[in-house]
Amino acid sequence: MNSAPGGPGAGFRPTHVVPGDGLPAWEAPDATRPTAPLDAFLPVRLLTRRGEWAEILCSNGWSAWVDGRLLVAVPQPPPTAGRPLGPAEDPAPLLDRTADALERVRRAAADLAAGRVDPEGFRRATLGLRAGIVLDGDRLWVYDDTAGRWMYTDGGRLTTYAADAGPGAPPAPEPRPPGPDPGAGADVPEVPHEATRVAGPPDGGGP
């Protein structure tokens, strides 16, 4: 971490807090320069964003770089009742994409069970689809295949819960858009997938 002379003192106003599992930290937006991890629920102020990296300031004047996707935003008063959600906060588009992917798998499975397609046809119909959803009452976790991360919502705004890779990793491959199945004998490329993990330090070099 780096120290800001004098520190922010009593006038410190946090914009985010560290998630409940704590957060790895780096001296710079460079995975080869780790520093002491941040404690769970530590209030911090966001200073700079550089892609997935975020420079934060702690109340004692120390600064560090973290995976900005995992910071938990602190609501800034005064709240505006009835304010429309922004495009990145509204869960509806992500839920619609997830429902579409699940429906396409359901139709392909029904065709396979009825003998309308063979296993190879089922594979072609579902190739490239990625969806994930966990529903527990009013709590919902849903996978954002375009960003490679799990999102959480309790009916309001979406927040990042976990990411496929640490800051500076290449973006996830674009999902295959809806459309007719490739014809028999078509050359269909395989889409490699890696298991989702809670974001941690990237392997190897810098961002």
Side-chain angles (χ1 to χ4, degrees), residues 42-126:
L42 177 71
V44 300
R45 183 172 184 82
L46 178 63
L47 299 178
T48 312
R49 289 298 296 262
R50 187 178 299 177
E52 295 156 355
W53 294 94
E55 184 183 18
I56 54 90
L57 178 68
C58 303
S59 60
N60 63 0
W62 290 96
S63 65
W65 289 83
V66 299
D67 186 343
R69 299 170 298 176
L70 300 184
L71 291 172
V72 180
V74 174
Q76 298 300 311
T80 303
R83 180 179 68 86
L85 298 179
E89 301 172 326
D90 186 357
L94 179 54
L95 293 176
D96 288 343
R97 292 203 310 272
T98 302
D100 177 70
L102 294 175
E103 174 59 20
R104 292 174 64 190
V105 172
R106 187 198 66 78
R107 291 198 305 264
D111 288 342
L112 180 63
R116 291 188 289 269
V117 298
D118 59 12
E120 179 61 20
F122 176 80
R123 187 189 72 85
R124 291 197 305 268
T126 58

Side-chain angles (χ1 to χ4, degrees), residues 92-180:
L94 179 54
L95 293 176
D96 288 343
R97 292 203 310 272
T98 302
D100 177 70
L102 294 175
E103 174 59 20
R104 292 174 64 190
V105 172
R106 187 198 66 78
R107 291 198 305 264
D111 288 342
L112 180 63
R116 291 188 289 269
V117 298
D118 59 12
E120 179 61 20
F122 176 80
R123 187 189 72 85
R124 291 197 305 268
T126 58
L127 183 66
L129 292 178
R130 300 193 78 188
I133 188 166
V134 178
L135 178 61
D136 182 13
D138 61 348
R139 298 181 299 168
L140 177 68
W141 294 261
V142 60
Y143 185 70
D144 183 355
D145 58 329
T146 64
R149 59 187 176 180
W150 281 88
M151 308 296 291
Y152 170 79
T153 179
D154 56 3
R157 295 169 178 80
L158 285 172
T159 56
T160 298
Y161 176 76
D164 282 355
E174 288 294 326
R176 181 166 60 91

Side-chain angles (χ1 to χ4, degrees), residues 175-199:
R176 181 166 60 91
D181 296 336
D187 185 14
V188 181
E190 294 287 346
V191 180
H193 297 144
E194 295 182 358
T196 298
R197 63 181 177 83
V198 174

Side-chain angles (χ1 to χ4, degrees), residues 1-2 23-28 30-38 53 56 62-66 201:
M1 292 186 179
N2 302 311
L23 205 58
W26 293 266
E27 294 180 356
D30 181 346
T32 65
R33 299 175 61 186
T35 185
L38 302 181
W53 294 94
I56 54 90
W62 290 96
S63 65
W65 289 83
V66 299

